[in-house]
Amino acid sequence: MNSIDLFQNPLPRWFKRNPRPTVLIKELQERDRRRMLKHFLGLERADRLLRFGSMLPDELVSDYVNRIDLKRDMVFGVYNRVFQLVAVGHLAFAKTDPDKSAVTDKENVAEFGVSVSRSVRGMGVGSKLFERAAIHCRNNDVDTLYMHCLSSNQTMMHIARKAGMEIQRDYGEADAYLKLSPPNPGSMLQEAVEEQFATIDYTLKANTRAAVKWLDRLPGRKPR
């Protein structure tokens, strides 16, 4: 199984000229749960099938979102310029079971699932969400990251291959495993800096959206 170091100093990448916009990954909180649901319900049918492995009806998608334990799991998101949640990565933690003891002796393992709206495809959003999840695992003493998806999920397969994950396919489904390096000062700094930048961006977009909604309520204004 591969072991990789995902640390890359983010500062030069953020401040150099780059035609591709920077993807800021924000840790989501309880206040974002409503927007998580809106994101999942807004996925196209094919994308919902790939994300959940079956065509879940709206009520089951709602149940899934409501059952996410934000005190145990981590959920990361990407907001666009008009404060719409356009990508979500769910990092779920579980106790290591005997079947997985051969690949890790750590207490916990993590499984990652991601969905990206069509409006931001091809911008590396899914890969950036995966990198953020992997860094968080490293910094929290989790050295094994899993992904389970349909074999036809080309986005997840691309992320897995790009990260050097070991992929096993069986009956139309795929499991991918990645062994992570131990934490180091660089990985700790990367997670802290990226969250700080994303928090500033989140606050600016939220305040701008609130201001726009307030202006739209003024007499004579047409709602946007």
Side-chain angles (χ1 to χ4, degrees):
M1 183 174 295
N2 294 318
S3 179
I4 64 173
D5 188 337
L6 290 171
F7 172 68
Q8 295 178 330
N9 189 334
L11 297 181
R13 185 173 70 252
W14 287 336
F15 290 111
K16 72 178 181 179
R17 285 181 170 270
N18 191 335
R20 174 175 286 186
T22 299
V23 178
L24 296 174
I25 310 297
K26 178 74 178 69
E27 178 186 339
L28 301 184
Q29 308 290 343
E30 186 62 41
R31 63 179 177 239
D32 301 292
R33 199 182 291 268
R34 178 177 60 85
R35 290 188 172 88
M36 289 184 217
L37 177 59
K38 185 176 181 179
H39 164 75
F40 288 121
L41 293 179
L43 293 174
E44 297 182 5
R45 287 181 59 85
D47 295 331
R48 189 186 294 196
L49 171 63
L50 293 176
R51 173 59 183 86
F52 296 107
S54 62
M55 193 57 212
L56 293 185
D58 290 355
E59 56 268 24
L60 291 185
V61 174
S62 180
D63 287 344
Y64 160 73
V65 173
N66 290 331
R67 285 188 287 104
I68 295 176
D69 186 348
L70 294 173
K71 294 180 180 179
R72 179 197 64 195
D73 297 347
M74 295 292 294
V75 181
F76 302 103
V78 176
Y79 279 93
N80 66 10
R81 62 184 181 83
V82 293
F83 203 53
Q84 294 174 334
L85 191 59
V86 293
V88 174
H90 182 185
L91 185 62
F93 294 96
K95 296 294 183 181
T96 302
D97 62 48
D99 291 338
K100 297 172 182 175
S101 61
V103 296
T104 182
D105 57 2
K106 299 295 185 180
E107 181 179 358
N108 295 312
V109 294
E111 182 173 351
F112 180 71
V114 64
S115 56
V116 179
S117 298
R118 188 166 296 276
S119 62
V120 292
R121 295 281 173 77
M123 298 171 57
V125 174
S127 293
K128 288 300 297 179
L129 281 164
F130 176 83
E131 290 177 15
R132 178 64 188 277
I135 290 295
H136 183 79
C137 286
R138 287 182 57 187
N139 293 341
N140 287 272
D141 199 35
V142 175
D143 68 357
T144 305
L145 181 57
Y146 294 86
M147 291 198 305
H148 177 81
C149 65
L150 297 176
S151 298
S152 58
N153 192 331
Q154 294 303 311
T155 298
M156 293 286 276
M157 291 293 97
H158 173 74
I159 291 173
R161 286 190 292 267
K162 184 177 179 181
M165 302 181 81
E166 179 182 329
I167 302 173
Q168 297 179 358
R169 301 172 187 260
D170 188 26
Y171 298 105
E173 298 185 345
D175 287 292
Y177 309 82
L178 180 65
K179 195 73 172 177
L180 299 169
S181 302
N184 59 31
S187 68
M188 302 293 288
L189 174 64
Q190 178 175 349
E191 183 173 21
V193 170
E194 289 192 357
E195 180 62 22
Q196 186 63 40
F197 271 77
T199 297
I200 294 172
D201 177 74
Y202 178 97
T203 302
L204 289 173
K205 289 174 178 175
N207 289 341
T208 300
R209 179 61 179 163
V212 169
K213 292 175 70 174
W214 180 81
L215 289 172
D216 285 342
R217 289 195 293 267
L218 294 178
R221 296 275 297 187
K222 292 183 178 180
R224 302 187 187 188

